[in-house]
């Protein structure tokens, strides 16, 4: 008789873990009791105004990854495991992560709390509503929409052109049927008819503002600068013209406090703000990062998807504005994902295939180049799976040795912090080296120069094509003097190019910018490339179909 | 020199109040520590599975009111003040209230936490997002919508007719432009085009289910019964056909725990669930009421708007299903509101006008009759304003004496519980009397008989007109065997009739039922009457325009 060992799911591991009271975690993090506002027993909001006013000077370790594949890379898992390993080595460490969006949770990707023994807890609650921040952002966004449409309906004193309203409604949901809608139908008592559409909340400007504001005053000031559309005479209309920045900031008051939780091993983690990295800037809130930097010596944070998306924006947008440098970058890769970049389809990943892995290394190589282009040194975290063969792992290690790239094997899914010690040691040695971080472009450059530098130095593309629409947007942006802002690229995560099918390391491609949207509150210009959508759709079999709850309130089927 | 005393606003009084730690309030309420999940320092969710399994047998005092006018009646204020007065008299008392919707908060009415020295705290947080329950309900509702539209898009295996989808999206917002919309535009990759519309969350069936379910299993079971629309062959399609009841119930898991807060005087209050009383059934959750009844000897609760709306549904829907009787009913009236029912417009309320007050008494008289029709005895709470003249007050007292109606003056806005002692004593004496509560109709009666009995016995109308649309709905309902359910009337709050202009005590009117919507999860049939809308609009000058937040995070302009 043979026994088959069924491995525990992430949810099962999370459910079995014993959490410490959040007070204890706060104390460990050096957060005074009066700053802690518990949300249940294992989550808290932190009132940063009650923290000791130390300067924020913890070092920042940014975790990014190769271009994602359906095989999965485990970036959040490595982020958590690395922090646990650093804690284990006696370093005062804190994690800063994004909050999961319900879109992917109910849709395809599942949650965003790490996996195995490298998770943040309570996994269920973080993945479902958490402390309500994203809902508050949705509400502030849609309150603005309702106030705009009410303004049109009640006489339109500002002479807003209903055809030129750029502010869209949002839901934290994958809901393609809401991408293009018409509203205000039904006659004169039912509002003014116009085209509209919903984005997912995590792509909204309010989310971006939330993640870049450094204080409540800054939050309100940024909200007041949002351009919601244009008048019949094509003048920009802002939130301050409507006079509702106070109400919108008020709706974000509690949400704006960073959320404290813990890893399975008890490392404190701040999880706050959650913009997607493909259609938004992809990093947790600056206020959480700053708070973590004021409390810990090392802050481990992540930016979404590959280094071409989250990390690029982390460096060109967030670090530039925050005035800090990422002191080290961890680049997560897996054998399976590299095989896919090497041309193997998902169904055929089983079995050793060193050649495919080596072919896929070109994707990793490009990400390494990208990070170096920012003047920061990377270390590759080779996130081990039980199916990886020694020869495959060895080939990657050897490649890194030959190319003088730091690399460490990690095994944090199975072993938690213990499985991340080798990586932690590499990171610590990197932190002792000088780095020459600088954003890739100056904001004073022209928009096309800025986009061009991202396309060439980050994506490895050959050029940029602006559609007529984008050129019209650009004209408007220059006319209004908004061109001196950083760029937030919206691009598929699957490829360096704007075509999701070009995996590996495509070359000689041009990026098509089809629309440029000024986000003056966030303080950047969004460039929509290729077919990228700001409202995802659900897959044929949504994750929701496997979810359930038992009579005692335990979650089933959360990933 | 004369000094002008500017009275404090509700927000100022709330901000100056000293709250007790929520642990202390829980202890006072007899809630064991392990059942308390703090949300900040002054709010908590209660895990009812960890409460002692005593039977729920606290007596229930229902607070209702005369037909509302723009003058305001102060129903929540009296509810809070009465409970504080009962506490002061040594009675173990708990409050059960609805959660405020952001629609009115940002729109016109303001918050719903009482006023003056009779408030529940923390006022700001309860009025803004509270513990996120309504957002969770919005999310569950809209996840279902997204799953329905995704089903259409991915091949429509169930053959759902897009023209016959009755499930609507929701937002907790007053947003008239979303009443009638078209979605799924933009071509074959953007969903299936169809008509849709948004209701306000507090009118949704998920909210009704949330407020009537007695356990998580019941919650899930009710969700599975929701009819979302019909197939091309006109068969009903339910949530269980889609197989997503588990995911939707999971989204409501934390929200389903009642929220504990306190009054300014420290009386424990459960605030949970918040359906509007005009377009929904208007009472807080049954689980909160049952929890309060298991902890306290007296539970003071309210139902929305006048007795024709919230109280009627409290008795015919909630109490019927909950298997309890309201042991006493408090009917709130004010001199100013009675004057308006007596024909005085809002601008001319100043100055004594006994005749107008007496003319307006017909409205109060009808509400008294309505309550008596349920076999329950009322006591009138005459909620005193500083502008009321002694003669006006005396005339009302005298009328009640003549008509053998219990009445007590209350002054809780200014004096808190102390101002409600006279009312509390009347209530206590009522609680010692037998009552003969019975719902007005049996569910086995025909739909038109059930509606007819509400119209005649509660509204004082002469009959019911069903439009062709309503008759078609009725046919469908009878064909499917759904007619044995209670009725949830959707009617203007301003009049006993379906015409908001007919204030006072209209007679000889018929009620027009324009649509009947089966809500099998909630377990009732919604009858839309007159022009009632399930998505309100914002007024010309929304309350949001006066809201703000200062640098320290203090709210400004919340009402």
């Amino acid at each position: 008789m043979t026994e088959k060992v069924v491995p525990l799911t992430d949810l099962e591991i999370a459910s079995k873990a014993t959490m410490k009271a959040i007070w204890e975690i706060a104390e460990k993090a050096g957060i005074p009791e009066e700053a802690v506002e518990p949300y249940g027993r294992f989550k808290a909001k932190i009132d940063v105004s009650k923290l000791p006013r130390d300067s924020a000077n913890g070092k920042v370790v940014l975790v990014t990854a190769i271009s994602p594949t359906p095989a999965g890379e485990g970036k959040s898992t490595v982020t958590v495991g690395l922090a646990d390993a650093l804690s284990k080595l006696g370093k005062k460490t804190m994690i800063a992560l994004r909050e999961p969006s319900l879109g992917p949770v109910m849709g395809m990707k599942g949650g965003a709390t790490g996996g195995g023994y490298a998770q943040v807890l309570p996994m269920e609650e973080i993945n479902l509503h958490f402390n309500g921040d994203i809902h508050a952002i949705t509400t502030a966004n849609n309150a603005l929409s309702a106030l705009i449409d009410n303004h049109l309906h009640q006489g339109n004193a500002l002479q807003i052109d209903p055809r030129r309203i750029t502010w869209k409604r949002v839901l934290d949901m994958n809901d393609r049927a809401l991408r293009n809608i018409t509203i205000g139908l039904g006659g004169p008592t039912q509002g003014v008819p116009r085209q509209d559409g919903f984005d997912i909340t995590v792509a909204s400007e309010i989310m971006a503002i939330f993640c870049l504001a450094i204080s409540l005053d800054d939050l309100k000031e940024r909200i007041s600068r949002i351009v919601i559309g244009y008048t019949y005479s094509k003048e920009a209309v802002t939130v301050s013209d409507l006079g509702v920045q106070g109400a919108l900031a008020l709706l974000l008051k509690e949400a704006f406090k960073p959320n404290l939780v813990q890893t399975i091993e008890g490392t404190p983690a701040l999880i706050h703000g959650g913009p997607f990295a493909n259609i938004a800037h992809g990093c947790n809130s600056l206020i959480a990062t700053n708070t973590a930097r004021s409390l810990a010596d090392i802050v481990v944070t992540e930016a979404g998807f590959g280094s071409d998306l989250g990390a690029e924006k982390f460096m060109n947008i967030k670090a530039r504005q925050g005035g800090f440098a990422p002191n080290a970058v961890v680049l997560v890769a897996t054998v399976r994902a590299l095989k896919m970049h090497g041309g193997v389809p998902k169904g055929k990943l089983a079995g050793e295939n060193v050649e495919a892995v080596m072919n896929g290394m070109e994707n990793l190589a490009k990400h390494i180049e990208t990070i170096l282009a920012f003047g920061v040194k990377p270390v590759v975290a080779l996130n081990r799976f039980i199916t990886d063969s020694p020869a495959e792992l060895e080939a990657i290690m050897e490649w890194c040795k030959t190319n003088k790239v730091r690399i460490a094997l990690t095994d944090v899914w199975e072993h938690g912090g213990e499985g991340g010690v080798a990586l932690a040691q590499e990171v610590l040695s990197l932190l002792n080296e000088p780095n020459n971080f600088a954003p890739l472009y100056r904001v004073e450059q022209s928009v096309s120069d800025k986009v061009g530098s991202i396309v060439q130095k980050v994506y490895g593309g050959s050029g940029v094509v602006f559609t007529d629409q984008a050129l019209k947007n650009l004209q408007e942006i220059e006319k209004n003097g908004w061109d001196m802002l950083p760029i937030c690229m919206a691009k598929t995560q699957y490829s360096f190019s704007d075509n999701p099918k070009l995996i590996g390391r495509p070359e000689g491609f041009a990026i098509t910018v089809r629309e440029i949207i000024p986000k003056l509150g966030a303080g950047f210009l969004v460039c929509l490339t290729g077919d990228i959508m700001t409202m995802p759709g659900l897959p044929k079999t949504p994750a929701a179909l496997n979810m359930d709850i038992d009579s005692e309130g335990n979650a089933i089927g959360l990933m």
Side-chain angles (χ1 to χ4, degrees), chain A residues 30-82:
Chain A
I31 300 169
E33 201 176 309
E34 62 268 26
V36 178
E37 299 178 0
Y39 272 55
R41 284 150 189 254
F42 306 109
K43 303 177 295 168
K45 281 200 163 277
I46 304 303
D47 183 344
V48 297
S49 72
K50 293 183 179 143
L51 292 179
R53 300 230 165 253
D54 290 351
S55 53
N57 46 22
K59 292 193 169 176
V60 175
V61 180
L62 174 66
V63 181
T64 181
I66 60 170
S67 304
T69 71
E73 289 68 41
K75 184 153 45 72
S76 305
T77 307
V78 170
T79 303
V80 173
L82 169 59

Coordinates of all heavy atoms in Angstrom, one line a residue, chain A residues 30-82:
Chain A
G30 N 7.7 48.3 17.0 CA 8.0 49.6 17.6 C 6.9 50.6 17.5 O 7.1 51.8 17.5
I31 N 5.7 50.1 17.3 CA 4.5 51.1 17.1 C 3.9 51.3 18.5 O 3.5 50.3 19.1 CB 3.5 50.5 16.2 CG1 4.1 50.3 14.8 CG2 2.3 51.4 16.1 CD1 3.3 49.5 13.8
P32 N 3.8 52.5 19.0 CA 3.3 52.7 20.3 C 1.8 52.4 20.3 O 1.1 52.5 19.3 CB 3.5 54.2 20.6 CG 3.7 54.8 19.3 CD 4.3 53.7 18.4
E33 N 1.3 51.9 21.5 CA 0.0 51.4 21.6 C -1.1 52.4 21.2 O -2.1 52.1 20.6 CB -0.3 51.1 23.1 CG -1.4 50.1 23.3 CD -1.6 49.7 24.8 OE1 -0.6 49.3 25.4 OE2 -2.7 49.9 25.3
E34 N -0.8 53.7 21.4 CA -1.8 54.7 21.1 C -2.0 54.9 19.6 O -3.0 55.5 19.1 CB -1.5 56.1 21.8 CG -0.2 56.7 21.4 CD 0.9 56.4 22.3 OE1 0.9 55.3 22.9 OE2 1.9 57.1 22.4
A35 N -1.1 54.4 18.8 CA -1.2 54.5 17.4 C -1.9 53.4 16.7 O -2.2 53.3 15.5 CB 0.2 54.7 16.7
V36 N -2.2 52.3 17.5 CA -2.8 51.1 17.0 C -4.3 51.1 17.1 O -4.9 51.3 18.2 CB -2.3 49.9 17.8 CG1 -2.9 48.6 17.3 CG2 -0.7 49.8 17.7
E37 N -5.0 51.0 16.0 CA -6.4 50.8 16.0 C -6.8 49.4 15.5 O -6.7 49.2 14.3 CB -7.1 51.9 15.1 CG -6.7 53.3 15.5 CD -7.3 54.4 14.6 OE1 -7.9 54.0 13.6 OE2 -7.0 55.6 14.9
P38 N -7.1 48.5 16.4 CA -7.3 47.1 16.0 C -8.5 47.0 15.1 O -9.5 47.6 15.3 CB -7.5 46.4 17.3 CG -7.9 47.4 18.3 CD -7.3 48.7 17.9
Y39 N -8.4 46.1 14.1 CA -9.6 45.7 13.3 C -9.7 44.2 13.5 O -9.0 43.5 12.7 CB -9.3 46.1 11.8 CG -9.8 47.5 11.5 CD1 -9.3 48.6 12.2 CD2 -10.7 47.7 10.5 CE1 -9.8 49.9 11.9 CE2 -11.2 49.0 10.2 CZ -10.7 50.1 10.9 OH -11.1 51.3 10.6
G40 N -10.5 43.8 14.4 CA -10.4 42.4 14.8 C -9.1 42.2 15.6 O -8.5 43.2 16.1
R41 N -8.8 40.9 15.8 CA -7.7 40.7 16.7 C -6.3 40.6 16.0 O -5.3 40.6 16.7 CB -7.9 39.3 17.5 CG -8.9 39.5 18.5 CD -9.7 38.3 18.8 NE -10.8 38.7 19.7 CZ -10.8 38.4 21.0 NH1 -9.9 37.7 21.5 NH2 -11.8 38.8 21.8
F42 N -6.4 40.5 14.7 CA -5.1 40.2 14.0 C -4.8 41.2 12.9 O -4.0 41.0 12.0 CB -5.2 38.8 13.4 CG -5.5 37.8 14.5 CD1 -6.7 37.1 14.5 CD2 -4.5 37.5 15.5 CE1 -7.0 36.2 15.5 CE2 -4.8 36.6 16.5 CZ -6.0 36.0 16.5
K43 N -5.6 42.3 12.9 CA -5.3 43.4 11.9 C -5.4 44.7 12.7 O -6.2 44.8 13.7 CB -6.4 43.4 10.8 CG -6.6 42.1 10.0 CD -7.7 42.3 9.0 CE -9.0 42.5 9.7 NZ -10.2 42.9 8.9
A44 N -4.7 45.7 12.2 CA -4.9 47.0 12.8 C -4.7 48.1 11.8 O -4.0 47.9 10.8 CB -3.9 47.2 14.0
K45 N -5.2 49.2 12.0 CA -4.8 50.4 11.3 C -3.9 51.2 12.2 O -4.0 51.2 13.4 CB -6.1 51.3 10.9 CG -6.7 50.7 9.6 CD -7.6 51.6 8.9 CE -8.0 51.2 7.5 NZ -6.9 51.5 6.5
I46 N -2.9 51.9 11.5 CA -1.9 52.6 12.3 C -2.2 54.1 12.0 O -2.2 54.6 10.9 CB -0.5 52.2 11.8 CG1 -0.3 50.7 11.9 CG2 0.5 53.0 12.6 CD1 -0.5 50.2 13.3
D47 N -2.4 54.8 13.1 CA -2.5 56.3 13.1 C -1.1 56.9 13.0 O -0.4 57.0 14.1 CB -3.3 56.8 14.3 CG -3.6 58.3 14.2 OD1 -2.9 59.0 13.5 OD2 -4.4 58.7 15.0
V48 N -0.6 57.2 11.9 CA 0.8 57.6 11.7 C 1.1 58.9 12.5 O 2.2 59.2 12.8 CB 1.3 57.7 10.3 CG1 1.1 56.3 9.6 CG2 0.5 58.7 9.5
S49 N 0.0 59.7 12.7 CA 0.3 60.9 13.4 C 0.7 60.7 14.9 O 1.2 61.5 15.6 CB -0.9 61.8 13.4 OG -1.9 61.3 14.3
K50 N 0.5 59.4 15.3 CA 0.9 59.1 16.7 C 2.2 58.3 16.8 O 2.5 57.8 17.8 CB -0.3 58.4 17.4 CG -1.5 59.3 17.6 CD -2.6 58.6 18.3 CE -3.8 59.6 18.5 NZ -5.1 59.0 18.3
L51 N 2.9 58.2 15.7 CA 4.2 57.5 15.7 C 5.3 58.5 16.1 O 5.1 59.7 15.8 CB 4.5 57.0 14.3 CG 3.6 55.8 13.8 CD1 4.0 55.4 12.4 CD2 3.7 54.6 14.8
P52 N 6.3 58.0 16.7 CA 7.5 58.9 17.0 C 7.9 59.6 15.6 O 8.0 58.9 14.6 CB 8.5 58.0 17.6 CG 8.1 56.6 17.3 CD 6.6 56.7 17.1
R53 N 8.2 60.8 15.7 CA 8.6 61.5 14.4 C 10.0 61.3 14.0 O 10.8 62.3 13.8 CB 8.3 63.0 14.6 CG 6.8 63.4 14.8 CD 6.3 64.4 13.9 NE 4.8 64.4 14.0 CZ 4.0 64.0 13.0 NH1 4.5 63.4 11.9 NH2 2.7 64.0 13.2
D54 N 10.4 60.1 13.9 CA 11.8 59.8 13.4 C 11.8 59.9 11.9 O 10.8 59.9 11.3 CB 12.1 58.3 13.8 CG 12.3 58.1 15.3 OD1 12.3 59.2 16.0 OD2 12.5 57.0 15.7
S55 N 13.0 60.2 11.4 CA 13.1 60.2 10.0 C 13.0 58.8 9.4 O 13.3 57.8 10.1 CB 14.4 60.9 9.6 OG 15.4 60.2 10.2
A56 N 12.4 58.8 8.2 CA 12.3 57.5 7.5 C 13.6 57.1 6.8 O 13.9 57.7 5.8 CB 11.1 57.6 6.5
N57 N 14.4 56.2 7.4 CA 15.6 55.9 6.7 C 15.9 54.4 6.6 O 17.1 54.0 6.4 CB 16.8 56.7 7.2 CG 16.8 56.7 8.7 OD1 16.2 55.8 9.3 ND2 17.4 57.7 9.3
G58 N 14.9 53.6 6.8 CA 15.2 52.1 6.6 C 15.5 51.9 5.1 O 15.1 52.7 4.3
K59 N 16.3 50.9 4.9 CA 16.7 50.6 3.5 C 15.5 49.8 2.8 O 14.8 49.1 3.4 CB 18.0 49.8 3.5 CG 19.2 50.6 4.0 CD 20.5 49.9 3.7 CE 21.6 51.0 3.9 NZ 22.9 50.4 3.7
V60 N 15.5 50.0 1.5 CA 14.3 49.5 0.8 C 14.8 48.4 -0.2 O 15.7 48.6 -1.0 CB 13.7 50.6 -0.1 CG1 12.6 50.0 -1.0 CG2 13.1 51.6 0.8
V61 N 14.2 47.2 0.0 CA 14.5 46.1 -0.9 C 13.3 45.9 -1.8 O 12.2 45.6 -1.2 CB 14.8 44.8 -0.1 CG1 15.1 43.6 -1.1 CG2 16.0 45.0 0.8
L62 N 13.4 46.0 -3.1 CA 12.3 45.9 -4.0 C 12.3 44.5 -4.6 O 13.3 44.1 -5.2 CB 12.4 47.0 -5.1 CG 11.3 46.8 -6.2 CD1 9.9 47.1 -5.6 CD2 11.6 47.8 -7.3
V63 N 11.2 43.8 -4.5 CA 11.0 42.5 -5.1 C 10.2 42.6 -6.4 O 9.1 43.1 -6.4 CB 10.4 41.5 -4.1 CG1 10.3 40.1 -4.8 CG2 11.1 41.4 -2.8
T64 N 10.9 42.2 -7.5 CA 10.2 42.2 -8.8 C 10.4 40.8 -9.4 O 10.8 39.9 -8.7 CB 10.7 43.4 -9.6 OG1 10.0 43.4 -10.9 CG2 12.1 43.3 -9.9
A65 N 10.0 40.7 -10.6 CA 10.1 39.3 -11.2 C 10.3 39.4 -12.7 O 10.3 40.5 -13.3 CB 8.7 38.6 -10.9
I66 N 10.6 38.2 -13.3 CA 10.6 38.1 -14.7 C 9.2 38.3 -15.2 O 8.2 38.4 -14.5 CB 11.1 36.7 -15.2 CG1 10.3 35.6 -14.6 CG2 12.6 36.6 -14.7 CD1 10.6 34.2 -15.2
S67 N 9.0 38.3 -16.6 CA 7.7 38.5 -17.1 C 6.8 37.3 -16.7 O 7.2 36.2 -16.8 CB 7.7 38.6 -18.6 OG 8.6 39.6 -19.0
P68 N 5.6 37.6 -16.1 CA 4.8 36.6 -15.6 C 4.3 35.6 -16.7 O 4.1 36.0 -17.8 CB 3.6 37.3 -15.0 CG 3.6 38.6 -15.6 CD 5.0 39.0 -16.0
T69 N 4.1 34.4 -16.3 CA 3.6 33.3 -17.2 C 2.5 32.6 -16.4 O 2.4 32.8 -15.2 CB 4.6 32.3 -17.5 OG1 4.9 31.5 -16.4 CG2 5.9 32.9 -18.0
P70 N 1.6 31.8 -17.1 CA 0.6 31.1 -16.4 C 1.2 30.1 -15.4 O 0.5 29.5 -14.5 CB -0.1 30.3 -17.5 CG 0.2 31.1 -18.7 CD 1.5 31.7 -18.6
A71 N 2.6 29.8 -15.5 CA 3.2 28.9 -14.5 C 3.3 29.5 -13.1 O 3.4 28.8 -12.2 CB 4.6 28.5 -15.0
G72 N 3.3 30.8 -13.0 CA 3.4 31.4 -11.7 C 4.8 31.6 -11.3 O 5.7 30.8 -11.6
E73 N 5.1 32.7 -10.6 CA 6.5 33.0 -10.2 C 6.6 33.0 -8.7 O 7.6 32.6 -8.1 CB 7.0 34.3 -10.8 CG 7.2 34.3 -12.3 CD 5.9 34.1 -13.1 OE1 4.9 34.8 -12.7 OE2 5.9 33.3 -14.0
G74 N 5.5 33.5 -8.0 CA 5.6 33.5 -6.5 C 6.3 34.8 -6.0 O 7.1 34.7 -5.0
K75 N 6.0 35.9 -6.6 CA 6.7 37.1 -6.1 C 6.3 37.5 -4.7 O 7.2 37.8 -3.9 CB 6.4 38.3 -7.1 CG 7.1 39.6 -6.8 CD 7.3 40.4 -8.0 CE 6.0 40.5 -8.9 NZ 5.0 41.3 -8.3
S76 N 5.0 37.5 -4.4 CA 4.6 37.8 -3.0 C 5.1 36.8 -2.0 O 5.5 37.2 -0.9 CB 3.0 37.8 -2.9 OG 2.5 38.7 -3.8
T77 N 5.2 35.5 -2.4 CA 5.7 34.5 -1.6 C 7.1 34.8 -1.2 O 7.6 34.7 -0.1 CB 5.5 33.1 -2.3 OG1 4.1 33.0 -2.7 CG2 5.9 32.0 -1.4
V78 N 7.9 35.1 -2.2 CA 9.3 35.4 -2.0 C 9.5 36.7 -1.1 O 10.3 36.7 -0.2 CB 10.1 35.5 -3.3 CG1 11.5 36.1 -3.1 CG2 10.2 34.2 -4.0
T79 N 8.6 37.7 -1.4 CA 8.7 38.9 -0.6 C 8.5 38.6 0.9 O 9.3 39.0 1.8 CB 7.6 39.9 -1.0 OG1 7.8 40.1 -2.4 CG2 7.6 41.2 -0.2
V80 N 7.5 37.7 1.2 CA 7.2 37.4 2.6 C 8.3 36.5 3.1 O 8.8 36.8 4.2 CB 5.9 36.7 2.7 CG1 5.6 36.1 4.1 CG2 4.7 37.6 2.2
G81 N 8.8 35.5 2.4 CA 9.8 34.6 2.8 C 11.1 35.3 3.1 O 11.8 35.1 4.1
L82 N 11.5 36.3 2.2 CA 12.7 37.1 2.4 C 12.6 37.9 3.7 O 13.6 37.9 4.4 CB 12.9 38.0 1.2 CG 14.0 39.0 1.3 CD1 15.4 38.4 1.6 CD2 14.1 39.9 0.0

